[in-house]
Amino acid sequence: LTSAVDNEVRQYMTVDGRPHTHFNMPKTGLDDNFTRAYYSSTGKYVLSGSSEEQVIRLHCSATGRTLRTAEMYPGRRHNSLYVQSLRGDPHHEHQFSVLVNYRDGAYPLEIVSMDMARHHATGETTLPSGDTYSSPSPALVDGLRTALTSHENANVSIKTADGRVYPSHGALLSSRSPVLKRMLEEAQNPSLSLSLSPSPPSPPSPP
């Protein structure tokens, strides 16, 4: 999870660094609108806030969708207020602590506890149930690991240029790679072998 200037928040795959999610948030156009983003206790949500704004945002970490935006101190807005930092509660999924600061020295720093799942006045749950995301169960992860190591029901063999062969599962390959999905669909064979060769070198550029 990375955050940069003016609500620029992105996620990358831990395994290989590939981009995973780009969080679509409004831009202010300010070069000093430094943004911070952190995971909730389980990683289901991402909380973000910026130094030139008086709001914090809760996002779904699986899709990047903004689930809720909350203004700090509704009805008590002050033009020098900004979000300096924020952290998720390690014990409660939707609760966060926000460090609020003011450019006006007459106001002290404050740490505010917030529950982003409930309305501040009514206490009613405000997060739609369909926007939550559950991590894969340990049983599912163990099953996929077993399939990978035992090659059980593998229906595709991938042969590399140096002669090595990797038994694989076509359904998983298709779900992870559009190129392999197209190759498997074109083959129309429930059990086949794919040969992968390195790309030929590009011809030299003319002088």
Side-chain angles (χ1 to χ4, degrees):
L1 179 67
T2 64
S3 53
V5 174
D6 206 12
N7 293 324
E8 183 68 20
V9 177
R10 297 174 183 264
Q11 283 186 128
Y12 297 87
M13 299 293 292
T14 306
V15 176
D16 54 14
R18 285 182 295 122
H20 178 273
T21 316
H22 182 208
F23 294 72
N24 186 20
M25 288 185 281
K27 305 293 185 181
T28 65
L30 301 173
D31 293 337
D32 56 353
N33 189 35
F34 301 109
T35 301
R36 297 167 179 83
Y38 300 94
Y39 286 113
S40 64
S41 58
T42 65
K44 295 180 182 178
Y45 302 102
V46 170
L47 184 75
S48 69
S50 299
S51 61
E52 293 296 326
E53 297 181 85
Q54 302 187 9
V55 299
I56 56 176
R57 298 178 175 90
L58 188 70
H59 315 269
C60 173
S61 62
T63 64
R65 178 182 176 186
T66 301
L67 303 177
R68 188 175 176 206
T69 299
E71 180 184 348
M72 299 304 301
Y73 297 129
R76 190 183 132 189
R77 190 179 180 90
H78 192 279
N79 58 11
S80 72
L81 181 151
Y82 65 97
V83 175
Q84 180 164 325
S85 190
L86 62 170
R87 292 292 191 280
D89 188 316
H91 305 293
H92 301 91
E93 178 65 13
H94 306 110
Q95 296 181 11
F96 304 87
S97 294
V98 183
L99 177 61
V100 176
N101 204 347
Y102 298 84
R103 292 178 182 80
D104 188 336
Y107 295 88
L109 280 77
E110 301 178 74
I111 296 179
V112 183
S113 296
M114 301 190 67
D115 188 337
M116 293 292 283
R118 298 186 180 278
H119 191 277
H120 72 280
T122 65
E124 296 179 352
T125 300
T126 58
L127 285 180
S129 59
D131 285 320
T132 59
Y133 167 74
S134 297
S135 299
S137 68
L140 174 59
V141 174
D142 289 342
L144 291 173
R145 184 181 297 111
T146 299
L148 174 66
T149 56
S150 70
H151 310 309
E152 184 178 356
N153 295 323
N155 62 338
V156 177
S157 295
I158 297 180
K159 184 177 181 180
T160 62
D162 58 3
R164 288 180 292 179
V165 178
Y166 297 91
S168 308
H169 299 79
L172 295 179
L173 294 175
S174 297
S175 68
R176 299 302 298 163
S177 169
V179 175
L180 292 177
K181 179 181 179 180
R182 186 173 63 252
M183 293 173 67
L184 292 170
E185 289 175 346
E186 292 174 352
Q188 296 182 345
N189 188 340
S191 180
L192 72 158
S193 176
L194 300 178
S195 296
L196 302 181
S197 302
S199 300
S202 301
S205 301

